[in-house]
Amino acid sequence: MENDMGLIVKTMARATIPLIGIFGAYVVSHGHLTPGGGFQGGATIAGAGILFLVAFGLNEAKKRYDKNLYSALEGLGGLAFLGAAMLGLSVAFFYNILWRDKIAFAGQPGTLLSAGFLPIMNLAVGLKVFTGLMSAMMAISLFRRWKK
């Protein structure tokens, strides 16, 4: 019984997975302005992937999951986070130097570009959390299947 979810579950998953992903991206990108951030948004986006795994089954998820790509993206997220943190610490402690004179509204509080390195760090953490959680769920699913 690999794929025993019904038509209604699959149809609702097709409709809600993109919405969950968009909401997770919103949480990641607005993490310095509203409650949330990279971890919460990455976990939300991973929830969309887990919904896909549950609704469509392991065989369908294995077709779309590339272990090497997810591993590389997780490493890239970690390196981007560390790079932005070290760059921010080396210049000034998270001083808002990015986009200061390049964009007119960059220094204004409440805008997306008002926090210097923090939005970049949120994106890096979101990528790392999303890929890490998806890799963990795929490993758990594959291990469970293997044990039977």
Side-chain angles (χ1 to χ4, degrees), residues 1-2 18 28 48 65 77 79 81 89 99 111 128 143:
M1 272 199 250
E2 169 57 36
V28 168
Y65 176 78
L79 287 175
F81 177 79
L89 285 174
W99 309 292
T111 61
K128 183 156 182 59
F143 180 75

Side-chain angles (χ1 to χ4, degrees), residues 7-69:
L7 179 65
I8 294 173
V9 172
K10 290 179 182 178
T11 303
M12 289 306 297
R14 280 189 196 98
T16 56
I17 286 171
L19 298 175
I20 294 170
I22 291 169
F23 179 69
Y26 171 81
V27 171
V28 168
S29 63
H30 288 81
H32 60 287
L33 299 173
T34 60
F39 185 87
Q40 294 85 345
T44 303
I45 298 170
I50 294 167
L51 176 60
F52 183 88
L53 177 65
V54 170
F56 295 100
L58 183 60
N59 285 337
E60 194 66 30
K62 280 196 306 190
K63 292 177 189 174
R64 291 177 167 79
Y65 176 78
D66 183 8
K67 182 177 86 168
N68 295 326
L69 175 66

Side-chain angles (χ1 to χ4, degrees), residues 56-110:
F56 295 100
L58 183 60
N59 285 337
E60 194 66 30
K62 280 196 306 190
K63 292 177 189 174
R64 291 177 167 79
Y65 176 78
D66 183 8
K67 182 177 86 168
N68 295 326
L69 175 66
Y70 274 64
S71 179
L73 288 175
E74 186 176 8
L76 179 68
L79 287 175
F81 177 79
L82 287 174
M86 292 300 115
L87 187 61
L89 285 174
S90 67
V91 175
F93 189 69
F94 294 109
Y95 181 65
N96 188 11
I97 62 164
L98 294 180
W99 309 292
R100 169 122 351 210
D101 297 325
K102 309 282 190 267
I103 300 175
F105 58 87
Q108 295 176 355

